[in-house]
Amino acid sequence: MKKPLIVITGASSGFGAEMAKLFNADNYPLLLLGRRVDKIKALPLNFDNVLVKSVDVTDLESFQAAVLEAEERFGKVDLLVNNAGVMLLGNVWKQDPSEWQTMLDTNVMGVLNGMKTVINSMMDRKGGTIINISSIAGRKTFGNHAVYAASKFGVHALSETVREEVSGHNVRVMVMAPGAAETELLTHITDQDAVDTYENWKTSMGGTTLDPIYVAKTVKYMYELPQEVSIREVLIAATSQDA
Ligand code: NDP
C-alpha cells in the first residue's frame, strides 16, 4: 500500500538525518527540509520518492511553498516532524541578543510555522500527526541554557495547548524530548566556556550520550501507533545522564 507523506525539518544532520534514513528505508515519501540541501542530498537515501527543499523554518512562505509542492507529488502530509533547532549556550549577561533571537525564531517560530502549514488540512481531514522535537531542557533548567530552555519550555507549552485544542479533530500533537546526543548541535555555540562546561559534564557521565538512532526509532514508533493512540510526550536520554 502507498505510504503517506512525511515532512522532516532539519534533515541535514543529527536526529533529522537519522529519521530521514529510517523512514526512507521503510519507503515513506519524504519532504526533507534544511538550509544545507547539499548535506541532505549526500545522505544514503533512495531519492525516488524524496523531495529536498532549501527552507529556513523561520520563513513561513517558503515552508508553505515546499509543502504544497510535495503534496502535489505525494498527497497530503500525514506526519510533520518539527525537528530543526539551534542551541546557542551562554549566560544572558554575556550573550549577544542576536543569539537569543536566533534560538527563539528557530525553536519556537519555526515550530509554529510548521504547525500552521499543515494543521488546518489535518483538522479538515480528521487525521494527521505533528511531532515537535523539544529537549529535556524543555522540562528542567540547566546552567548556560536560559534562552534555549525558554525556547524548549515554549515547545512543550505550545504543543500541549494545541494538542488539547485539536484532539477532537483526531489530530495528534506529540513531543519528543531527548537528552544529550552527539550531533552538530554544539558546533554553533560561540561561548567556549559554555562548550567546555557541557563537554566536561558529558565526560563526567562516562562520555556515553544518547545515540540519535533511538530518537529516530522512537519517533517512528510513536507515529506508527494507530491514530487513536497518542503518546503525548517522551523524555529519552542515555541511562548514564544524571540530569
Ligand atoms: P544538529 O545541529 O545536528 O541539527 C539541527 C538541524 O536543524 C540541522 O539539520 C539544521 O539544518 C536545522 N536547522 C537549524 N536552523 C534551521 C533553520 N533556521 N531552518 C531550517 N533548518 C534549520 O542538531 P540535532 O540533531 O541535535 O538537533 C535537532 C533537534 O534536537 C533540535 O531541535 C535540538 O534542539 C534538539 N535536541 C538536541 C539534543 C542534542 O543533544 N543533540 C538534545 C535535545 C534536543 P541546516 O543548518 O542545514 O539548516
Side-chain angles (χ1 to χ4, degrees), residues 9-17 33-37 39-40 55-58 82-87 106-107 133-137 148 152 176-188 198:
T9 70
S12 55
S13 64
F15 296 144
L33 304 178
R35 294 162 303 177
R36 296 168 300 164
V37 286
K39 284 201 62 148
I40 303 177
V55 166
D56 184 322
V57 293
T58 66
N82 279 313
N83 164 74
V86 280
M87 180 176 81
T106 311
N107 301 356
I133 307 299
S134 182
S135 167
I136 291 184
Y148 183 70
K152 294 299 191 180
M176 152 58 75
E182 288 322 313
T183 65
E184 294 184 12
L185 200 65
L186 295 185
T187 63
H188 309 291
Y198 198 90

Side-chain angles (χ1 to χ4, degrees), residues 45 65 134 150 166 238:
L45 304 178
S134 182
V166 301

Side-chain angles (χ1 to χ4, degrees), residues 130-198:
I130 297 169
I131 301 181
N132 293 332
I133 307 299
S134 182
S135 167
I136 291 184
R139 271 280 167 239
K140 56 193 290 193
T141 58
F142 295 80
N144 292 329
H145 284 59
V147 180
Y148 183 70
S151 73
K152 294 299 191 180
F153 271 66
V155 171
H156 277 269
L158 71 88
S159 302
E160 175 59 12
T161 304
V162 179
R163 185 201 64 72
E164 291 168 13
E165 291 169 344
V166 301
S167 56
H169 293 268
N170 198 36
V171 175
R172 300 185 297 187
V173 179
M174 303 170 167
V175 178
M176 152 58 75
E182 288 322 313
T183 65
E184 294 184 12
L185 200 65
L186 295 185
T187 63
H188 309 291
I189 300 171
T190 58
D191 180 335
Q192 192 54 45
D193 288 345
V195 176
D196 293 344
T197 304
Y198 198 90

Side-chain angles (χ1 to χ4, degrees), residues 58-95:
T58 66
D59 179 356
L60 177 59
E61 272 183 28
S62 74
F63 206 141
Q64 289 173 328
V67 167
L68 193 63
E69 188 180 334
E71 288 190 326
E72 280 165 3
R73 188 166 150 196
F74 299 120
K76 294 290 182 188
V77 177
D78 195 49
L79 170 64
L80 165 65
V81 186
N82 279 313
N83 164 74
V86 280
M87 180 176 81
L88 305 172
L89 300 182
N91 305 118
V92 290
W93 61 90
K94 288 194 290 194
Q95 197 165 27

